[in-house]
């Protein structure tokens, strides 16, 4: 089950990485000079996984792990690294934002073993609504900024 816990933490971290989206102000037409850096700065700090709907039905052990993580998985971004902690999950790794524009971004999260997972999403208020593109955690979810 250790591998499943590790993957769940990485998938959730991917989701949070997307939360780093730089905003495009309603009255401003200019983007930051480096949108990816601005997105990374916005990502810094703590987040909670509040929802996730897999694209395909998960096997029973993965579904149980996901259910245990909702509302309890905490992900923290510091610099270009992340940690994810929750029931049965204690993992971390690094992330990169590969493209960012306004409130949207795409990127990759890398687990401790170096495996990369793709993600895209949009920042909305205190939430990040994301799509994870790689199995076994392909699907869409919601992250909420920790209070």
């Amino acid at each position: 089950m250790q591998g499943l816990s590790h993957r769940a933490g990485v998938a959730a971290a991917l989701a949070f990485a997307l939360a780093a989206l730089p905003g495009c102000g309603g009255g401003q037409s200019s983007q930051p000079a480096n949108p990816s850096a601005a997105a990374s700065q916005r990502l810094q700090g703590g987040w909670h996984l509040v929802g996730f709907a897999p694209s395909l039905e998960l096997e029973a052990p993965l579904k149980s792990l996901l259910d245990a993580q909702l509302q309890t998985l905490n992900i923290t971004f510091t610099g270009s690294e992340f940690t994810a902690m929750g029931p049965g999950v204690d993992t971390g790794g690094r992330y990169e934002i590969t493209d960012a524009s306004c409130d949207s971004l795409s990127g990759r999260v890398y687990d401790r073993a170096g495996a990369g997972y793709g993600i895209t999403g949009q920042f909305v208020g205190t939430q990040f609504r994301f799509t994870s593109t790689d199995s076994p955690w392909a699907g869409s979810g919601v992250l909420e900024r920790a209070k």
Side-chain angles (χ1 to χ4, degrees):
M1 195 76 157
Q2 176 67 16
L4 296 178
S5 297
H6 177 73
R7 285 192 216 157
V10 169
L14 286 173
F16 288 113
L18 297 179
L21 305 171
C24 288
Q28 298 177 1
S29 61
S30 65
Q31 285 256 113
N34 185 339
S36 294
S40 182
Q41 180 60 37
R42 195 167 178 187
L43 179 61
Q44 302 300 293
W47 300 87
H48 300 292
L49 178 65
V50 296
F52 186 79
S55 297
L56 301 173
E57 186 174 346
L58 296 174
E59 295 175 12
L62 292 176
K63 176 146 179 29
S64 294
L65 182 60
L66 174 61
D67 290 345
Q69 301 310 313
L70 295 177
Q71 303 294 331
T72 60
L73 184 71
N74 298 305
I75 299 175
T76 303
F77 289 91
T78 305
S80 62
E81 298 181 350
F82 72 89
T83 57
M85 298 190 69
V89 174
D90 182 359
T91 191
R94 65 182 180 87
Y95 75 95
E96 67 180 354
I97 296 169
T98 56
D99 189 41
S101 177
C102 294
D103 285 338
S104 298
L105 69 77
S106 59
R108 294 194 68 74
V109 174
Y110 298 91
D111 64 19
R112 288 180 176 149
Y117 303 87
I119 190 157
T120 62
Q122 183 171 13
F123 189 74
V124 179
T126 60
Q127 295 184 336
F128 184 75
R129 298 174 187 171
F130 67 92
T131 300
S132 176
T133 58
D134 296 308
S135 293
W137 300 106
S140 42
V142 177
L143 304 173
E144 181 87 32
R145 171 71 71 183
K147 296 182 171 65

